[in-house]
Amino acid sequence: MKRFLDIIGDLRIAFWLLLAVAVIMWIGSLYASAEYQLFDSLNGVRVQDWFSEKGLGALSSTWWLPALFFAFALLGLNTAACTLRRVMALWPRRTDMPAKRFMVLLSPSIIHLLFIGMLSGHLLTFTALTQEKAPIEEGVVLDLAGTGEFTVKSVKNEFFDKGSLLADRIRQTTVELSFMKNGVERTVPLEFLHSISMNGALLQLDMQKRKKSGAPIAQNPADETCNKEHNYHYAELLKETRPQLYIIATRDPGLFILIPGFALVILVMGWYFYQIGFGRESKAPPID
Amino acid sequence: MTIHALLYAAAAMYAAAFLLHLAGKGRGSFAALCSGFVVHTAYQVTRGWIAGIFIPNGMFDGLFLISWGMALAVILSKLLSDSEMAWESAAAPIFLFAVLALVYPKGLIPPTPNKLTVWANIFFLTEVTGQACFYLAGWFAAVGIFTKRVTNNYHSLIVWGFVLYSVAQVTGALWAYIGWATTFRWGSRHLQSAVIWCYFAAYLHLRFLPRWGAREKSWYAAAGFFVVAFNSLGSHLHEMGFPRIGG
């Protein structure tokens, strides 16, 4: 068992796997830029469905995706073995040192376990996500991703102050949704950045710019920006050309791992690096 | 006089800091760097009102923050580190990025409703300051290689950069989640951000690999300068064509 863990948990393998993952993602980013529409269609759908429907037909552009998942699988295995090996070496020594020192030594293992949790959470998101998106306007009745029927009662835009250079641009939109619960009509507001939960699905507001004729503008590859605002340039969102609003309904089991995992990994990592003086070699603990 | 005069003044002080460093005036160089940082900070704060109302997003616009973040990291390193290293030499890349900011469109990309959140501000602040630490580490590693005085003084910069960049990955994911219902999007921006994180995560493991000596680690850290540049500057350059206001 120890020999097995030593081989698959080797740190040299971890190093080269991390570099391999970086290289594959860099190659993938070039394909994602060159074929924006193809890879954008992967967002919001399960990766296995997308790959059998679109990926297999474009293998010359999508080959890196299975390679990436394979490399991540190996990295997860390597990290698990390495962590187990380290904890097995540390645990018998827990009474030989102060508890704080033991926790400092154990922290990298906890961070690595959280990293494995993050990988699992993302895998769950990519393979088990359900997402539906529909355009909305006042009066429309929808049933998305098992939310049950609800009606868009009203749509109200709030604009930036008249005196500013942003005057007449949308600051916030409030959509009132009504639905029946126990025979009683209920109304809830939905706004940008303020999602609501309906029958276990997460509802969020999204929008896309329109031409003056009212037709939505096809997504432009150039809109994949540093600001993650890939849908449209908001500079053009004036009162005269109101954007097309959408509601996105999402069921994502991976979030239950990812969201608490994010908080934990930052806390543990921050505490660990603080304890070792943020990389001063003399304060860094040995590997085992 | 527009507020952008402050950026020109800061760039001039960074240039002066480098020239004084070359002339062997260490204290003068550090004073010029600190002055440049103070003026640059004033500029970044003023950008919050560039639209005529206070919008914090203007303060955290990437390319304007890089040289500010680098100057801050150098000042803190000089004040807090035990090392006698010539930290002021970093005034050269700081000036280089300040020049990039000078030729960059200075207005504000009108913020979307999805961008008006503190998560976006924390994301940009930590992402850019993380990158600033990586750039500096690459610079000091390269200086060590070319002056044949290889040290590991840049190591703590990479650790700081990695922590900040990890916070950026988390806050960026949270922002994407509350804004777009997903923590990761299949697009070049997210993939390239992850490339940088993995590259420096790999670096942190080098310490445990005996075959990687100080010189090899320096080459790896120096190469990191280009890894960060190739995977981040593209989106900044791309945004040059975006409509802006108040510039």
mmCIF file with all atom_site columns, all heavy atoms in Angstrom, chain A residues 43 165 204 222 225-227 229 233-234 279 281, chain B residues 51 112 115 155 177-178 181 186 189 238-239 242:
data_model
loop_
_atom_site.group_PDB
_atom_site.id
_atom_site.type_symbol
_atom_site.label_atom_id
_atom_site.label_alt_id
_atom_site.label_comp_id
_atom_site.label_asym_id
_atom_site.label_entity_id
_atom_site.label_seq_id
_atom_site.pdbx_PDB_ins_code
_atom_site.Cartn_x
_atom_site.Cartn_y
_atom_site.Cartn_z
_atom_site.occupancy
_atom_site.B_iso_or_equiv
_atom_site.pdbx_formal_charge
_atom_site.auth_seq_id
_atom_site.auth_comp_id
_atom_site.auth_asym_id
_atom_site.auth_atom_id
_atom_site.pdbx_PDB_model_num
ATOM 1   N N   . ASN A 1 43  ? -21.640 26.178 -22.330 1.00 0.00 ? 43  ASN A N   1
ATOM 2   C CA  . ASN A 1 43  ? -22.073 26.751 -21.052 1.00 0.00 ? 43  ASN A CA  1
ATOM 3   C C   . ASN A 1 43  ? -23.549 26.478 -20.815 1.00 0.00 ? 43  ASN A C   1
ATOM 4   O O   . ASN A 1 43  ? -24.383 26.709 -21.684 1.00 0.00 ? 43  ASN A O   1
ATOM 5   C CB  . ASN A 1 43  ? -21.815 28.266 -21.054 1.00 0.00 ? 43  ASN A CB  1
ATOM 6   C CG  . ASN A 1 43  ? -20.341 28.587 -21.052 1.00 0.00 ? 43  ASN A CG  1
ATOM 7   O OD1 . ASN A 1 43  ? -19.589 28.092 -20.220 1.00 0.00 ? 43  ASN A OD1 1
ATOM 8   N ND2 . ASN A 1 43  ? -19.898 29.396 -22.008 1.00 0.00 ? 43  ASN A ND2 1
ATOM 9   N N   . LEU A 1 165 ? -22.667 60.935 -16.406 1.00 0.00 ? 165 LEU A N   1
ATOM 10  C CA  . LEU A 1 165 ? -22.390 60.523 -17.786 1.00 0.00 ? 165 LEU A CA  1
ATOM 11  C C   . LEU A 1 165 ? -23.083 59.193 -18.114 1.00 0.00 ? 165 LEU A C   1
ATOM 12  O O   . LEU A 1 165 ? -23.117 58.786 -19.261 1.00 0.00 ? 165 LEU A O   1
ATOM 13  C CB  . LEU A 1 165 ? -20.876 60.386 -17.990 1.00 0.00 ? 165 LEU A CB  1
ATOM 14  C CG  . LEU A 1 165 ? -20.057 61.673 -17.839 1.00 0.00 ? 165 LEU A CG  1
ATOM 15  C CD1 . LEU A 1 165 ? -18.569 61.370 -17.944 1.00 0.00 ? 165 LEU A CD1 1
ATOM 16  C CD2 . LEU A 1 165 ? -20.465 62.682 -18.903 1.00 0.00 ? 165 LEU A CD2 1
ATOM 17  N N   . GLN A 1 204 ? -32.425 33.455 -12.114 1.00 0.00 ? 204 GLN A N   1
ATOM 18  C CA  . GLN A 1 204 ? -31.606 34.658 -12.255 1.00 0.00 ? 204 GLN A CA  1
ATOM 19  C C   . GLN A 1 204 ? -32.009 35.431 -13.498 1.00 0.00 ? 204 GLN A C   1
ATOM 20  O O   . GLN A 1 204 ? -32.572 34.861 -14.441 1.00 0.00 ? 204 GLN A O   1
ATOM 21  C CB  . GLN A 1 204 ? -30.127 34.281 -12.337 1.00 0.00 ? 204 GLN A CB  1
ATOM 22  C CG  . GLN A 1 204 ? -29.547 34.001 -10.974 1.00 0.00 ? 204 GLN A CG  1
ATOM 23  C CD  . GLN A 1 204 ? -28.190 33.377 -11.040 1.00 0.00 ? 204 GLN A CD  1
ATOM 24  O OE1 . GLN A 1 204 ? -28.032 32.326 -11.647 1.00 0.00 ? 204 GLN A OE1 1
ATOM 25  N NE2 . GLN A 1 204 ? -27.213 34.002 -10.408 1.00 0.00 ? 204 GLN A NE2 1
ATOM 26  N N   . ALA A 1 222 ? -16.238 38.862 -30.050 1.00 0.00 ? 222 ALA A N   1
ATOM 27  C CA  . ALA A 1 222 ? -15.438 39.923 -29.440 1.00 0.00 ? 222 ALA A CA  1
ATOM 28  C C   . ALA A 1 222 ? -15.968 40.328 -28.073 1.00 0.00 ? 222 ALA A C   1
ATOM 29  O O   . ALA A 1 222 ? -15.349 41.093 -27.363 1.00 0.00 ? 222 ALA A O   1
ATOM 30  C CB  . ALA A 1 222 ? -15.425 41.139 -30.348 1.00 0.00 ? 222 ALA A CB  1
ATOM 31  N N   . THR A 1 225 ? -14.945 39.133 -22.814 1.00 0.00 ? 225 THR A N   1
ATOM 32  C CA  . THR A 1 225 ? -14.027 40.175 -22.371 1.00 0.00 ? 225 THR A CA  1
ATOM 33  C C   . THR A 1 225 ? -13.448 39.904 -21.006 1.00 0.00 ? 225 THR A C   1
ATOM 34  O O   . THR A 1 225 ? -13.847 38.980 -20.314 1.00 0.00 ? 225 THR A O   1
ATOM 35  C CB  . THR A 1 225 ? -14.757 41.522 -22.259 1.00 0.00 ? 225 THR A CB  1
ATOM 36  O OG1 . THR A 1 225 ? -15.521 41.493 -21.056 1.00 0.00 ? 225 THR A OG1 1
ATOM 37  C CG2 . THR A 1 225 ? -15.642 41.764 -23.438 1.00 0.00 ? 225 THR A CG2 1
ATOM 38  N N   . CYS A 1 226 ? -12.555 40.775 -20.665 1.00 0.00 ? 226 CYS A N   1
ATOM 39  C CA  . CYS A 1 226 ? -11.930 40.719 -19.351 1.00 0.00 ? 226 CYS A CA  1
ATOM 40  C C   . CYS A 1 226 ? -12.978 40.841 -18.253 1.00 0.00 ? 226 CYS A C   1
ATOM 41  O O   . CYS A 1 226 ? -12.795 40.353 -17.159 1.00 0.00 ? 226 CYS A O   1
ATOM 42  C CB  . CYS A 1 226 ? -10.934 41.858 -19.247 1.00 0.00 ? 226 CYS A CB  1
ATOM 43  S SG  . CYS A 1 226 ? -10.186 42.033 -17.658 1.00 0.00 ? 226 CYS A SG  1
ATOM 44  N N   . ASN A 1 227 ? -14.074 41.502 -18.571 1.00 0.00 ? 227 ASN A N   1
ATOM 45  C CA  . ASN A 1 227 ? -15.081 41.765 -17.553 1.00 0.00 ? 227 ASN A CA  1
ATOM 46  C C   . ASN A 1 227 ? -16.160 40.692 -17.508 1.00 0.00 ? 227 ASN A C   1
ATOM 47  O O   . ASN A 1 227 ? -17.182 40.875 -16.854 1.00 0.00 ? 227 ASN A O   1
ATOM 48  C CB  . ASN A 1 227 ? -15.715 43.121 -17.803 1.00 0.00 ? 227 ASN A CB  1
ATOM 49  C CG  . ASN A 1 227 ? -14.691 44.211 -17.709 1.00 0.00 ? 227 ASN A CG  1
ATOM 50  O OD1 . ASN A 1 227 ? -13.991 44.292 -16.718 1.00 0.00 ? 227 ASN A OD1 1
ATOM 51  N ND2 . ASN A 1 227 ? -14.570 45.006 -18.730 1.00 0.00 ? 227 ASN A ND2 1
ATOM 52  N N   . GLU A 1 229 ? -18.297 40.096 -19.458 1.00 0.00 ? 229 GLU A N   1
ATOM 53  C CA  . GLU A 1 229 ? -19.567 40.547 -20.005 1.00 0.00 ? 229 GLU A CA  1
ATOM 54  C C   . GLU A 1 229 ? -19.601 40.141 -21.458 1.00 0.00 ? 229 GLU A C   1
ATOM 55  O O   . GLU A 1 229 ? -19.350 40.920 -22.357 1.00 0.00 ? 229 GLU A O   1
ATOM 56  C CB  . GLU A 1 229 ? -19.700 42.048 -19.836 1.00 0.00 ? 229 GLU A CB  1
ATOM 57  C CG  . GLU A 1 229 ? -19.910 42.388 -18.388 1.00 0.00 ? 229 GLU A CG  1
ATOM 58  C CD  . GLU A 1 229 ? -19.695 43.846 -18.114 1.00 0.00 ? 229 GLU A CD  1
ATOM 59  O OE1 . GLU A 1 229 ? -19.574 44.608 -19.055 1.00 0.00 ? 229 GLU A OE1 1
ATOM 60  O OE2 . GLU A 1 229 ? -19.665 44.188 -16.936 1.00 0.00 ? 229 GLU A OE2 1
ATOM 61  N N   . HIS A 1 233 ? -22.149 44.789 -25.318 1.00 0.00 ? 233 HIS A N   1
ATOM 62  C CA  . HIS A 1 233 ? -21.537 45.986 -24.760 1.00 0.00 ? 233 HIS A CA  1
ATOM 63  C C   . HIS A 1 233 ? -22.641 46.840 -24.162 1.00 0.00 ? 233 HIS A C   1
ATOM 64  O O   . HIS A 1 233 ? -23.506 47.327 -24.868 1.00 0.00 ? 233 HIS A O   1
ATOM 65  C CB  . HIS A 1 233 ? -20.816 46.777 -25.838 1.00 0.00 ? 233 HIS A CB  1
ATOM 66  C CG  . HIS A 1 233 ? -19.686 46.034 -26.439 1.00 0.00 ? 233 HIS A CG  1
ATOM 67  N ND1 . HIS A 1 233 ? -18.751 45.391 -25.681 1.00 0.00 ? 233 HIS A ND1 1
ATOM 68  C CD2 . HIS A 1 233 ? -19.340 45.807 -27.718 1.00 0.00 ? 233 HIS A CD2 1
ATOM 69  C CE1 . HIS A 1 233 ? -17.876 44.830 -26.478 1.00 0.00 ? 233 HIS A CE1 1
ATOM 70  N NE2 . HIS A 1 233 ? -18.217 45.051 -27.705 1.00 0.00 ? 233 HIS A NE2 1
ATOM 71  N N   . TYR A 1 234 ? -22.595 47.060 -22.900 1.00 0.00 ? 234 TYR A N   1
ATOM 72  C CA  . TYR A 1 234 ? -23.667 47.768 -22.225 1.00 0.00 ? 234 TYR A CA  1
ATOM 73  C C   . TYR A 1 234 ? -23.684 49.256 -22.575 1.00 0.00 ? 234 TYR A C   1
ATOM 74  O O   . TYR A 1 234 ? -24.651 49.933 -22.316 1.00 0.00 ? 234 TYR A O   1
ATOM 75  C CB  . TYR A 1 234 ? -23.523 47.608 -20.717 1.00 0.00 ? 234 TYR A CB  1
ATOM 76  C CG  . TYR A 1 234 ? -23.866 46.239 -20.239 1.00 0.00 ? 234 TYR A CG  1
ATOM 77  C CD1 . TYR A 1 234 ? -23.048 45.161 -20.504 1.00 0.00 ? 234 TYR A CD1 1
ATOM 78  C CD2 . TYR A 1 234 ? -25.032 46.015 -19.533 1.00 0.00 ? 234 TYR A CD2 1
ATOM 79  C CE1 . TYR A 1 234 ? -23.369 43.895 -20.068 1.00 0.00 ? 234 TYR A CE1 1
ATOM 80  C CE2 . TYR A 1 234 ? -25.358 44.754 -19.085 1.00 0.00 ? 234 TYR A CE2 1
ATOM 81  C CZ  . TYR A 1 234 ? -24.511 43.701 -19.360 1.00 0.00 ? 234 TYR A CZ  1
ATOM 82  O OH  . TYR A 1 234 ? -24.833 42.442 -18.927 1.00 0.00 ? 234 TYR A OH  1
ATOM 83  N N   . GLY A 1 279 ? 5.948   32.611 2.926   1.00 0.00 ? 279 GLY A N   1
ATOM 84  C CA  . GLY A 1 279 ? 6.978   32.126 2.012   1.00 0.00 ? 279 GLY A CA  1
ATOM 85  C C   . GLY A 1 279 ? 8.406   32.381 2.431   1.00 0.00 ? 279 GLY A C   1
ATOM 86  O O   . GLY A 1 279 ? 9.317   32.136 1.648   1.00 0.00 ? 279 GLY A O   1
ATOM 87  N N   . GLU A 1 281 ? 11.550  31.239 3.534   1.00 0.00 ? 281 GLU A N   1
ATOM 88  C CA  . GLU A 1 281 ? 11.986  29.851 3.494   1.00 0.00 ? 281 GLU A CA  1
ATOM 89  C C   . GLU A 1 281 ? 12.292  29.287 4.882   1.00 0.00 ? 281 GLU A C   1
ATOM 90  O O   . GLU A 1 281 ? 11.996  28.140 5.186   1.00 0.00 ? 281 GLU A O   1
ATOM 91  C CB  . GLU A 1 281 ? 13.233  29.707 2.616   1.00 0.00 ? 281 GLU A CB  1
ATOM 92  C CG  . GLU A 1 281 ? 12.970  29.980 1.154   1.00 0.00 ? 281 GLU A CG  1
ATOM 93  C CD  . GLU A 1 281 ? 12.318  28.818 0.437   1.00 0.00 ? 281 GLU A CD  1
ATOM 94  O OE1 . GLU A 1 281 ? 12.627  27.680 0.785   1.00 0.00 ? 281 GLU A OE1 1
ATOM 95  O OE2 . GLU A 1 281 ? 11.496  29.050 -0.453  1.00 0.00 ? 281 GLU A OE2 1
ATOM 96  N N   . ALA B 2 51  ? -17.343 58.971 -13.990 1.00 0.00 ? 51  ALA B N   1
ATOM 97  C CA  . ALA B 2 51  ? -18.637 59.025 -14.701 1.00 0.00 ? 51  ALA B CA  1
ATOM 98  C C   . ALA B 2 51  ? -19.528 60.146 -14.183 1.00 0.00 ? 51  ALA B C   1
ATOM 99  O O   . ALA B 2 51  ? -20.681 60.252 -14.591 1.00 0.00 ? 51  ALA B O   1
ATOM 100 C CB  . ALA B 2 51  ? -19.358 57.686 -14.571 1.00 0.00 ? 51  ALA B CB  1
ATOM 101 N N   . THR B 2 112 ? -22.474 47.265 -16.282 1.00 0.00 ? 112 THR B N   1
ATOM 102 C CA  . THR B 2 112 ? -23.746 46.567 -16.425 1.00 0.00 ? 112 THR B CA  1
ATOM 103 C C   . THR B 2 112 ? -24.354 46.386 -15.044 1.00 0.00 ? 112 THR B C   1
ATOM 104 O O   . THR B 2 112 ? -23.649 46.477 -14.032 1.00 0.00 ? 112 THR B O   1
ATOM 105 C CB  . THR B 2 112 ? -23.483 45.178 -16.998 1.00 0.00 ? 112 THR B CB  1
ATOM 106 O OG1 . THR B 2 112 ? -22.754 44.464 -16.005 1.00 0.00 ? 112 THR B OG1 1
ATOM 107 C CG2 . THR B 2 112 ? -22.678 45.248 -18.263 1.00 0.00 ? 112 THR B CG2 1
ATOM 108 N N   . LYS B 2 115 ? -22.459 44.034 -13.004 1.00 0.00 ? 115 LYS B N   1
ATOM 109 C CA  . LYS B 2 115 ? -21.096 44.381 -12.592 1.00 0.00 ? 115 LYS B CA  1
ATOM 110 C C   . LYS B 2 115 ? -21.081 45.290 -11.368 1.00 0.00 ? 115 LYS B C   1
ATOM 111 O O   . LYS B 2 115 ? -20.029 45.589 -10.823 1.00 0.00 ? 115 LYS B O   1
ATOM 112 C CB  . LYS B 2 115 ? -20.392 45.074 -13.761 1.00 0.00 ? 115 LYS B CB  1
ATOM 113 C CG  . LYS B 2 115 ? -18.903 44.985 -13.721 1.00 0.00 ? 115 LYS B CG  1
ATOM 114 C CD  . LYS B 2 115 ? -18.336 45.586 -14.985 1.00 0.00 ? 115 LYS B CD  1
ATOM 115 C CE  . LYS B 2 115 ? -16.862 45.872 -14.822 1.00 0.00 ? 115 LYS B CE  1
ATOM 116 N NZ  . LYS B 2 115 ? -16.327 46.599 -15.969 1.00 0.00 ? 115 LYS B NZ  1
ATOM 117 N N   . HIS B 2 155 ? 10.660  34.621 -3.907  1.00 0.00 ? 155 HIS B N   1
ATOM 118 C CA  . HIS B 2 155 ? 9.747   33.538 -3.535  1.00 0.00 ? 155 HIS B CA  1
ATOM 119 C C   . HIS B 2 155 ? 8.504   34.045 -2.793  1.00 0.00 ? 155 HIS B C   1
ATOM 120 O O   . HIS B 2 155 ? 7.379   33.643 -3.097  1.00 0.00 ? 155 HIS B O   1
ATOM 121 C CB  . HIS B 2 155 ? 10.497  32.511 -2.673  1.00 0.00 ? 155 HIS B CB  1
ATOM 122 C CG  . HIS B 2 155 ? 9.636   31.386 -2.178  1.00 0.00 ? 155 HIS B CG  1
ATOM 123 N ND1 . HIS B 2 155 ? 9.220   30.358 -3.000  1.00 0.00 ? 155 HIS B ND1 1
ATOM 124 C CD2 . HIS B 2 155 ? 9.080   31.139 -0.957  1.00 0.00 ? 155 HIS B CD2 1
ATOM 125 C CE1 . HIS B 2 155 ? 8.455   29.527 -2.307  1.00 0.00 ? 155 HIS B CE1 1
ATOM 126 N NE2 . HIS B 2 155 ? 8.354   29.973 -1.065  1.00 0.00 ? 155 HIS B NE2 1
ATOM 127 N N   . TYR B 2 177 ? -21.236 33.346 -10.284 1.00 0.00 ? 177 TYR B N   1
ATOM 128 C CA  . TYR B 2 177 ? -22.387 32.585 -9.787  1.00 0.00 ? 177 TYR B CA  1
ATOM 129 C C   . TYR B 2 177 ? -23.598 33.496 -9.542  1.00 0.00 ? 177 TYR B C   1
ATOM 130 O O   . TYR B 2 177 ? -24.711 33.191 -9.992  1.00 0.00 ? 177 TYR B O   1
ATOM 131 C CB  . TYR B 2 177 ? -21.984 31.847 -8.508  1.00 0.00 ? 177 TYR B CB  1
ATOM 132 C CG  . TYR B 2 177 ? -23.136 31.372 -7.676  1.00 0.00 ? 177 TYR B CG  1
ATOM 133 C CD1 . TYR B 2 177 ? -24.022 30.417 -8.168  1.00 0.00 ? 177 TYR B CD1 1
ATOM 134 C CD2 . TYR B 2 177 ? -23.346 31.873 -6.393  1.00 0.00 ? 177 TYR B CD2 1
ATOM 135 C CE1 . TYR B 2 177 ? -25.096 29.989 -7.406  1.00 0.00 ? 177 TYR B CE1 1
ATOM 136 C CE2 . TYR B 2 177 ? -24.405 31.450 -5.631  1.00 0.00 ? 177 TYR B CE2 1
ATOM 137 C CZ  . TYR B 2 177 ? -25.276 30.506 -6.140  1.00 0.00 ? 177 TYR B CZ  1
ATOM 138 O OH  . TYR B 2 177 ? -26.340 30.093 -5.394  1.00 0.00 ? 177 TYR B OH  1
ATOM 139 N N   . ILE B 2 178 ? -23.366 34.632 -8.868  1.00 0.00 ? 178 ILE B N   1
ATOM 140 C CA  . ILE B 2 178 ? -24.534 35.488 -8.594  1.00 0.00 ? 178 ILE B CA  1
ATOM 141 C C   . ILE B 2 178 ? -24.959 36.261 -9.850  1.00 0.00 ? 178 ILE B C   1
ATOM 142 O O   . ILE B 2 178 ? -26.101 36.683 -9.954  1.00 0.00 ? 178 ILE B O   1
ATOM 143 C CB  . ILE B 2 178 ? -24.302 36.474 -7.409  1.00 0.00 ? 178 ILE B CB  1
ATOM 144 C CG1 . ILE B 2 178 ? -23.138 37.419 -7.692  1.00 0.00 ? 178 ILE B CG1 1
ATOM 145 C CG2 . ILE B 2 178 ? -24.095 35.740 -6.109  1.00 0.00 ? 178 ILE B CG2 1
ATOM 146 C CD1 . ILE B 2 178 ? -23.042 38.539 -6.671  1.00 0.00 ? 178 ILE B CD1 1
ATOM 147 N N   . ALA B 2 181 ? -25.149 32.594 -12.916 1.00 0.00 ? 181 ALA B N   1
ATOM 148 C CA  . ALA B 2 181 ? -25.633 31.275 -12.496 1.00 0.00 ? 181 ALA B CA  1
ATOM 149 C C   . ALA B 2 181 ? -24.618 30.156 -12.673 1.00 0.00 ? 181 ALA B C   1
ATOM 150 O O   . ALA B 2 181 ? -24.975 28.986 -12.709 1.00 0.00 ? 181 ALA B O   1
ATOM 151 C CB  . ALA B 2 181 ? -26.915 30.907 -13.243 1.00 0.00 ? 181 ALA B CB  1
ATOM 152 N N   . TRP B 2 186 ? -16.998 28.213 -19.994 1.00 0.00 ? 186 TRP B N   1
ATOM 153 C CA  . TRP B 2 186 ? -16.063 27.700 -20.990 1.00 0.00 ? 186 TRP B CA  1
ATOM 154 C C   . TRP B 2 186 ? -15.767 28.819 -21.971 1.00 0.00 ? 186 TRP B C   1
ATOM 155 O O   . TRP B 2 186 ? -16.443 28.983 -22.982 1.00 0.00 ? 186 TRP B O   1
ATOM 156 C CB  . TRP B 2 186 ? -16.646 26.481 -21.700 1.00 0.00 ? 186 TRP B CB  1
ATOM 157 C CG  . TRP B 2 186 ? -16.784 25.304 -20.795 1.00 0.00 ? 186 TRP B CG  1
ATOM 158 C CD1 . TRP B 2 186 ? -17.912 24.864 -20.188 1.00 0.00 ? 186 TRP B CD1 1
ATOM 159 C CD2 . TRP B 2 186 ? -15.746 24.413 -20.398 1.00 0.00 ? 186 TRP B CD2 1
ATOM 160 N NE1 . TRP B 2 186 ? -17.641 23.763 -19.424 1.00 0.00 ? 186 TRP B NE1 1
ATOM 161 C CE2 . TRP B 2 186 ? -16.318 23.455 -19.535 1.00 0.00 ? 186 TRP B CE2 1
ATOM 162 C CE3 . TRP B 2 186 ? -14.375 24.321 -20.662 1.00 0.00 ? 186 TRP B CE3 1
ATOM 163 C CZ2 . TRP B 2 186 ? -15.574 22.435 -18.944 1.00 0.00 ? 186 TRP B CZ2 1
ATOM 164 C CZ3 . TRP B 2 186 ? -13.647 23.288 -20.074 1.00 0.00 ? 186 TRP B CZ3 1
ATOM 165 C CH2 . TRP B 2 186 ? -14.248 22.370 -19.240 1.00 0.00 ? 186 TRP B CH2 1
ATOM 166 N N   . ARG B 2 189 ? -11.265 33.560 -21.378 1.00 0.00 ? 189 ARG B N   1
ATOM 167 C CA  . ARG B 2 189 ? -10.939 34.359 -20.187 1.00 0.00 ? 189 ARG B CA  1
ATOM 168 C C   . ARG B 2 189 ? -10.777 33.481 -18.950 1.00 0.00 ? 189 ARG B C   1
ATOM 169 O O   . ARG B 2 189 ? -9.791  33.589 -18.219 1.00 0.00 ? 189 ARG B O   1
ATOM 170 C CB  . ARG B 2 189 ? -12.043 35.398 -19.984 1.00 0.00 ? 189 ARG B CB  1
ATOM 171 C CG  . ARG B 2 189 ? -11.977 36.162 -18.693 1.00 0.00 ? 189 ARG B CG  1
ATOM 172 C CD  . ARG B 2 189 ? -10.842 37.158 -18.689 1.00 0.00 ? 189 ARG B CD  1
ATOM 173 N NE  . ARG B 2 189 ? -10.968 38.064 -17.563 1.00 0.00 ? 189 ARG B NE  1
ATOM 174 C CZ  . ARG B 2 189 ? -10.017 38.264 -16.669 1.00 0.00 ? 189 ARG B CZ  1
ATOM 175 N NH1 . ARG B 2 189 ? -8.873  37.648 -16.761 1.00 0.00 ? 189 ARG B NH1 1
ATOM 176 N NH2 . ARG B 2 189 ? -10.200 39.105 -15.684 1.00 0.00 ? 189 ARG B NH2 1
ATOM 177 N N   . HIS B 2 238 ? -7.756  43.771 -25.943 1.00 0.00 ? 238 HIS B N   1
ATOM 178 C CA  . HIS B 2 238 ? -9.026  43.609 -26.636 1.00 0.00 ? 238 HIS B CA  1
ATOM 179 C C   . HIS B 2 238 ? -10.041 44.672 -26.206 1.00 0.00 ? 238 HIS B C   1
ATOM 180 O O   . HIS B 2 238 ? -10.801 45.196 -27.024 1.00 0.00 ? 238 HIS B O   1
ATOM 181 C CB  . HIS B 2 238 ? -9.567  42.211 -26.339 1.00 0.00 ? 238 HIS B CB  1
ATOM 182 C CG  . HIS B 2 238 ? -10.937 41.983 -26.852 1.00 0.00 ? 238 HIS B CG  1
ATOM 183 N ND1 . HIS B 2 238 ? -11.200 41.893 -28.197 1.00 0.00 ? 238 HIS B ND1 1
ATOM 184 C CD2 . HIS B 2 238 ? -12.116 41.870 -26.222 1.00 0.00 ? 238 HIS B CD2 1
ATOM 185 C CE1 . HIS B 2 238 ? -12.500 41.717 -28.360 1.00 0.00 ? 238 HIS B CE1 1
ATOM 186 N NE2 . HIS B 2 238 ? -13.079 41.695 -27.177 1.00 0.00 ? 238 HIS B NE2 1
ATOM 187 N N   . GLU B 2 239 ? -10.018 45.004 -24.942 1.00 0.00 ? 239 GLU B N   1
ATOM 188 C CA  . GLU B 2 239 ? -10.994 45.977 -24.429 1.00 0.00 ? 239 GLU B CA  1
ATOM 189 C C   . GLU B 2 239 ? -10.691 47.403 -24.860 1.00 0.00 ? 239 GLU B C   1
ATOM 190 O O   . GLU B 2 239 ? -11.493 48.309 -24.619 1.00 0.00 ? 239 GLU B O   1
ATOM 191 C CB  . GLU B 2 239 ? -11.046 45.907 -22.898 1.00 0.00 ? 239 GLU B CB  1
ATOM 192 C CG  . GLU B 2 239 ? -11.781 44.688 -22.407 1.00 0.00 ? 239 GLU B CG  1
ATOM 193 C CD  . GLU B 2 239 ? -11.987 44.706 -20.906 1.00 0.00 ? 239 GLU B CD  1
ATOM 194 O OE1 . GLU B 2 239 ? -11.383 45.557 -20.241 1.00 0.00 ? 239 GLU B OE1 1
ATOM 195 O OE2 . GLU B 2 239 ? -12.747 43.873 -20.420 1.00 0.00 ? 239 GLU B OE2 1
ATOM 196 N N   . PHE B 2 242 ? -13.469 48.951 -26.810 1.00 0.00 ? 242 PHE B N   1
ATOM 197 C CA  . PHE B 2 242 ? -14.812 49.078 -26.234 1.00 0.00 ? 242 PHE B CA  1
ATOM 198 C C   . PHE B 2 242 ? -15.227 50.537 -26.087 1.00 0.00 ? 242 PHE B C   1
ATOM 199 O O   . PHE B 2 242 ? -14.390 51.401 -25.845 1.00 0.00 ? 242 PHE B O   1
ATOM 200 C CB  . PHE B 2 242 ? -14.837 48.424 -24.843 1.00 0.00 ? 242 PHE B CB  1
ATOM 201 C CG  . PHE B 2 242 ? -15.033 46.939 -24.879 1.00 0.00 ? 242 PHE B CG  1
ATOM 202 C CD1 . PHE B 2 242 ? -14.648 46.195 -25.977 1.00 0.00 ? 242 PHE B CD1 1
ATOM 203 C CD2 . PHE B 2 242 ? -15.610 46.278 -23.808 1.00 0.00 ? 242 PHE B CD2 1
ATOM 204 C CE1 . PHE B 2 242 ? -14.820 44.833 -26.016 1.00 0.00 ? 242 PHE B CE1 1
ATOM 205 C CE2 . PHE B 2 242 ? -15.796 44.911 -23.836 1.00 0.00 ? 242 PHE B CE2 1
ATOM 206 C CZ  . PHE B 2 242 ? -15.399 44.182 -24.928 1.00 0.00 ? 242 PHE B CZ  1
#
